[in-house]
Amino acid sequence: MKKFGLLLLLIVSFAGTYAQGVKHPVKWTSKIEKKSDTEYVLVFNAVIEESWHMYSQFTPDGGALPMVITFNNQKGNYTLVGKTQESKTEKAFNDIFEVDEYFWSHTAQLKQTVKLAPASNKVVQVTLDYQVCKESCIQDGNLFEFDLAKMASKEVKNFKNIPLAVLATDPPAGAQPVEATVTDTVKATDTAKTQVVPAPKDETAKPDVKAAKDEEKGKDGLFTIFFVAFLSGFAALLTPCVFPMIPMTVSFFTKQSKSKAAGVRNAITYGISIIVIYVLLGSLVTGIFGADSLNALSTNVAFNLIFFVLLIVFACSFLGAFEIMLPNSWANKVDRQADRGGIIGILFMALALAIVSFSCTGPIVGTLLVEAASKGGLAPVIGMFGFSLALALPFMLFAMFPGWLNSLPKSGGWLNTVKVFLGFLELALAFKFLSNADLVLQLHYLERETFLAIWIAVFGALALYMFGKIKMPHDTPGGFISVGRLLLGLLVLSFTIYLIPGLWGAPLKLISGFPPSQTYSESPFGFGGSSGVTTAVALPEGAHSGPQGIAAFEDYDKALAYAKKTNKPLLIDFTGYACVNCRKMEDNVWSDKRILSVLNNDVVLVSLYVDFKEELPESEQYISETTGKHIKTIGNKWSDMQIRKYKTNSQPYYVLVNNKEENLNEPVGYTPDIEEYLKWLQEGVANYKK
């Protein structure tokens, strides 16, 4: 039924696409190879136009649509011997869907062996449905008829004399397709369906401007992960478990090595070993869960709740409640291996460092992996590389310049202060994960005011600690605080005071995206009923007051109907309750007066939350023809719509369409540049008025 539905969709949609010009970038020929009186090999040869790609039947779900091969009249006529064999395919990573895709360029070949039944009519009908892409994607299809008795085959482009139900199942012997003439080939209703949508990543085609921007943003995201991880590595260096080991380890290398050069070489090998160990950890996380699954975890309720608990445990450990340690037997076994010497011994020394320092580095690495995992892709690997590079650099540098060791501050109570400081940060971050779960479930237990109150309490307590007013279990007694600690305490106190007006509706753009939005609060319009944000017009039926007081729909059909009624373009906002960049756009970009004016007066806004977990009525649930997934929730429905229509699954994602649902300009994703986003809005509105 799924294949029949796809075939029906392709045939019916031709009438709407023919006016735009139907393209067939793939030209097919076929032949028969006889193996015996009962076994034959059906051969399909394809020639693909330059710069186009046709996707394999084995390309994984989540990316381009795989080829579907349907053997129509198989029952009682013939059986298949093995699977359909393919010629060699190319492999490329699609950075939009974050999956490897398999495809052909230039030429392709399929082979299928069939075995005839005793009473067979010796006619085999095969339908190929496939996707071929360049800048746009085309769903094309071809019907082949193989007459094994005559050893003849032909491609049938005209379906008009064959009932659809017959093609989808088993046609009676008398239902023979009509071979197309040259005129029929142009005029006939065939299976082509042209989709004017962005294509999956094409390695041979010239990249367009949007693809270049997407690639640049992807690189920026990985750079951010690397930078944060690098700073986290330096923070780990300043903990009591790691810092004292720098002079000890460097001294070991310089004393045990036969020459200064050998000591430097061994220390560099040691540093590289540290990097290898942590990068392998990041690779292991990516390999076990997969890039696509990691990306989906960011809005998974169980994931967020588990890591809320995990970060609370990490925070308590850093604050001094207990120590998180791996079994001593592990450290002892690794330490014995380190005595072997050579590169293997140095590698085990690096592993011993990772195990011994786990009580301090574990919480930092765990937090970093959680954040990187929510980004998906190579983020865990890049994160571990940045972290381990910062961790390894001091060992390498001090081995090269041993005199620098004299300039290192002595170990002492300040190391525990750093550890406690990190514990407070872990505690604050933990509530972001709890907030994500609450937002996705729409429970309203941790609304904006509650979240901010918790952060004010956490950072207020941290300020008191920095001023020496609060003592933790492992702090050393002291009668004064250093100037550095005082300055850092003042910075934390200033941040705490900055948070307080947020309880009364202040936007708090500095932490935009971390707390829930203003609309997810006890007082959506601020304390006393007004936050300075007002809705420009009376709310239409089915709409609510959205971000910045903009009238927003959450039902696509209602929004489209209202856009037609008011003769305005429709702004589709693919978003998520737990999407940080979505909140940043709403708080920092949509708040600009010029943009706010356009959103209030010139467009109709519909916000489609792809992580909305409310289930659809059973009658509205379906299996996606694009991904093959069961669409059960409202969020699933909007996510499937985004993938099906726009070939992307990232949020935020903005599309401006006219009343016929045609794109007015190129859709955009996260665009923090106010001028760039304003120009994009104005361009779409101007195109609509034309």
Side-chain angles (χ1 to χ4, degrees):
M1 284 301 294
K2 178 181 177 182
K3 294 174 182 177
F4 166 68
L6 175 61
L7 184 59
L8 179 61
L9 177 64
L10 295 174
I11 295 172
V12 172
S13 65
F14 175 81
T17 59
Y18 176 73
Q20 301 172 8
V22 175
K23 296 180 180 179
H24 298 285
V26 183
K27 308 300 181 186
W28 290 92
T29 58
S30 58
K31 65 178 182 178
I32 303 169
E33 297 175 355
K34 185 175 180 179
K35 295 182 68 175
S36 67
D37 290 339
T38 58
E39 286 195 2
Y40 298 82
V41 180
L42 312 181
V43 183
F44 308 82
N45 291 307
V47 177
I48 306 166
E49 289 185 12
E50 188 67 27
S51 299
W52 288 84
H53 287 159
M54 180 173 66
Y55 290 88
S56 160
Q57 61 182 320
F58 302 117
T59 199
D61 291 340
L65 298 182
M67 176 182 287
V68 177
I69 306 173
T70 308
F71 294 87
N72 298 309
N73 59 333
Q74 183 177 351
K75 187 176 180 181
N77 197 26
Y78 60 92
T79 57
L80 304 180
V81 180
K83 295 182 179 180
T84 303
Q85 297 178 353
E86 298 183 345
S87 58
K88 187 177 180 180
T89 57
E90 300 176 45
K91 176 182 175 182
F93 182 73
N94 187 320
D95 53 8
I96 294 178
F97 296 109
E98 297 185 341
V99 296
D100 287 322
E101 295 179 329
Y102 300 90
F103 56 87
W104 296 280
S105 302
H106 307 299
T107 61
Q109 186 179 76
L110 305 171
K111 287 187 176 183
Q112 176 64 59
T113 302
V114 297
K115 185 175 183 179
L116 293 177
S120 169
N121 64 7
K122 296 192 175 182
V123 174
V124 178
Q125 292 176 349
V126 184
T127 303
L128 301 183
D129 294 304
Y130 53 90
Q131 185 177 70
V132 56
C133 295
K134 191 169 66 172
E135 284 83 7
S136 61
C137 288
I138 293 173
Q139 281 301 119
D140 213 343
N142 297 73
L143 175 65
F144 297 86
E145 183 181 85
F146 297 86
D147 190 332
L148 304 182
K150 299 179 180 179
M151 291 291 289
S153 66
K154 62 184 177 181
E155 179 186 358
V156 182
K157 289 183 179 292
N158 194 325
F159 286 77
K160 62 185 178 184
N161 288 349
I162 307 177
L164 291 177
V166 171
L167 282 177
T169 55
D170 305 306
Q176 296 296 329
V178 178
E179 185 173 4
T181 64
V182 175
T183 305
D184 289 333
T185 304
V186 177
K187 296 181 179 179
T189 304
D190 68 14
T191 63
K193 178 187 178 184
T194 304
Q195 298 177 332
V196 186
V197 295
K201 184 178 180 181
D202 189 324
E203 295 294 336
T204 61
K206 294 180 181 179
D208 56 18
V209 175
K210 179 179 181 297
K213 286 183 179 179
D214 290 343
E215 184 178 355
E216 184 178 347
K217 288 177 181 177
K219 290 179 180 178
D220 287 345
L222 290 179
F223 178 78
T224 301
I225 287 289
F226 174 83
F227 182 71
V228 171
F230 194 76
L231 293 181
S232 300
F234 274 123
L237 279 171
L238 302 177
T239 58
C241 312
V242 180
F243 187 81
M245 298 187 70
I246 297 176
M248 292 170 55
T249 306
V250 172
S251 297
F252 171 82
F253 282 126
T254 53
K255 292 178 181 178
Q256 297 297 320
S257 302
K258 295 180 180 179
S259 65
K260 180 180 178 181
V264 171
R265 185 172 59 251
N266 289 339
I268 292 175
T269 304
Y270 181 68
I272 293 173
S273 299
I274 294 172
I275 295 173
V276 169
I277 289 169
Y278 282 98
V279 169
L280 283 176
L281 176 61
S283 302
L284 188 64
V285 170
T286 304
I288 291 175
F289 294 101
D292 189 53
S293 299
L294 287 172
N295 189 44
L297 284 177
S298 60
T299 57
N300 182 277
V301 173
F303 171 88
N304 282 283
L305 290 176
I306 288 171
F307 280 101
F308 165 70
V309 175
L310 188 62
L311 292 187
I312 291 293
V313 173
F314 285 164
C316 292
S317 172
F318 268 3
L319 293 174
F322 49 80
E323 293 289 338
I324 301 176
M325 298 183 65
L326 293 175
N328 288 330
S329 59
W330 292 17
N332 293 335
K333 289 179 181 178
V334 170
D335 193 50
R336 284 196 296 269
Q337 293 295 325
D339 293 334
R340 295 171 57 179
I343 294 178
I344 299 298
I346 293 173
L347 180 62
F348 275 100
M349 282 186 64
L351 184 59
L353 170 69
I355 293 174
V356 171
S357 64
F358 181 79
S359 61
C360 291
T361 60
I364 300 174
V365 170
T367 305
L368 182 60
L369 281 175
V370 169
E371 282 296 302
S374 68
K375 305 296 182 185
L378 292 174
V381 178
I382 297 297
M384 288 299 95
F385 175 70
F387 177 87
S388 58
L389 182 63
L391 201 64
L393 274 177
F395 293 95
M396 294 187 287
L397 292 175
F398 282 111
M400 295 178 185
F401 308 100
W404 289 5
L405 289 173
N406 297 326
S407 63
L408 280 180
K410 303 299 181 183
S411 300
W414 68 271
L415 289 175
N416 188 67
T417 301
V418 172
K419 191 176 178 182
V420 172
F421 185 89
L422 294 173
F424 277 105
L425 295 184
E426 293 268 356
L427 190 61
L429 183 60
F431 285 94
K432 172 58 182 171
F433 288 93
L434 184 61
S435 174
N436 285 347
D438 183 68
L439 282 166
V440 171
L441 295 175
Q442 290 289 285
L443 297 176
H444 288 268
Y445 290 155
L446 194 61
E447 294 178 319
R448 183 178 177 87
E449 292 90 345
T450 308
F451 183 95
L452 290 176
I454 292 172
W455 268 36
I456 290 169
V458 170
F459 286 102
L462 175 56
L464 292 175
Y465 173 77
M466 299 305 293
F467 292 138
K469 301 301 180 183
I470 297 177
K471 294 290 185 182
M472 303 307 292
H474 300 298
D475 285 337
T476 54
F480 65 91
I481 60 174
S482 65
V483 174
R485 182 167 174 170
L486 173 65
L487 294 176
L488 187 57
L490 289 173
L491 181 64
V492 174
L493 179 60
S494 300
F495 178 70
T496 306
I497 296 172
Y498 168 80
L499 294 176
I500 294 174
L503 297 172
W504 285 269
L508 303 181
K509 293 184 179 182
L510 190 62
I511 57 169
S512 175
F514 279 90
S517 66
Q518 185 63 50
T519 57
Y520 194 81
S521 63
E522 294 179 10
S523 304
F525 295 102
F527 183 76
S530 176
S531 63
V533 176
T534 58
T535 303
V537 295
L539 291 175
E541 183 178 355
H544 68 282
S545 180
Q548 305 298 332
I550 304 163
F553 291 84
E554 291 186 4
D555 184 283
Y556 179 80
D557 294 329
K558 290 180 180 178
L560 181 61
Y562 185 71
K564 292 178 180 179
K565 179 181 177 182
T566 57
N567 193 28
K568 293 180 180 180
L570 180 66
L571 173 59
I572 308 171
D573 166 30
F574 289 101
T575 184
Y577 290 116
C579 171
V580 173
N581 283 342
C582 301
R583 303 294 85 77
K584 288 182 178 179
M585 285 294 295
E586 293 162 5
D587 294 344
N588 301 335
V589 178
W590 288 10
S591 59
D592 182 86
K593 292 182 179 180
R594 296 166 297 168
I595 291 176
L596 194 56
S597 175
V598 175
L599 296 179
N600 273 324
N601 303 309
D602 299 331
V603 301
V604 173
L605 173 66
V606 57
S607 296
L608 306 179
Y609 290 86
V610 299
D611 53 3
F612 191 17
K613 299 301 183 183
E614 183 178 321
E615 286 201 3
L616 291 163
E618 195 167 333
S619 60
E620 296 181 21
Q621 296 181 17
Y622 63 96
I623 302 298
S624 169
E625 291 186 358
T626 306
T627 63
K629 296 179 181 178
H630 186 191
I631 306 303
K632 293 181 63 177
T633 68
I634 294 175
N636 293 158
K637 177 182 176 181
W638 302 139
S639 179
D640 184 58
M641 172 185 173
Q642 184 184 6
I643 294 172
R644 173 168 45 84
K645 283 191 172 185
Y646 306 108
K647 298 298 178 186
T648 184
N649 61 352
S650 62
Q651 293 83 42
Y653 194 72
Y654 305 104
V655 187
L656 271 169
V657 299
N658 61 20
N659 298 154
K660 296 180 181 179
E661 301 179 76
E662 299 167 335
N663 288 6
L664 293 168
N665 53 4
E666 192 71 33
V668 297
Y670 178 58
T671 312
D673 187 309
I674 292 176
E675 297 300 328
E676 182 181 350
Y677 191 76
L678 177 63
K679 182 179 178 181
W680 177 80
L681 279 176
Q682 291 172 337
E683 177 190 39
V685 172
N687 289 340
Y688 179 83
K689 291 178 179 179
K690 291 178 184 179

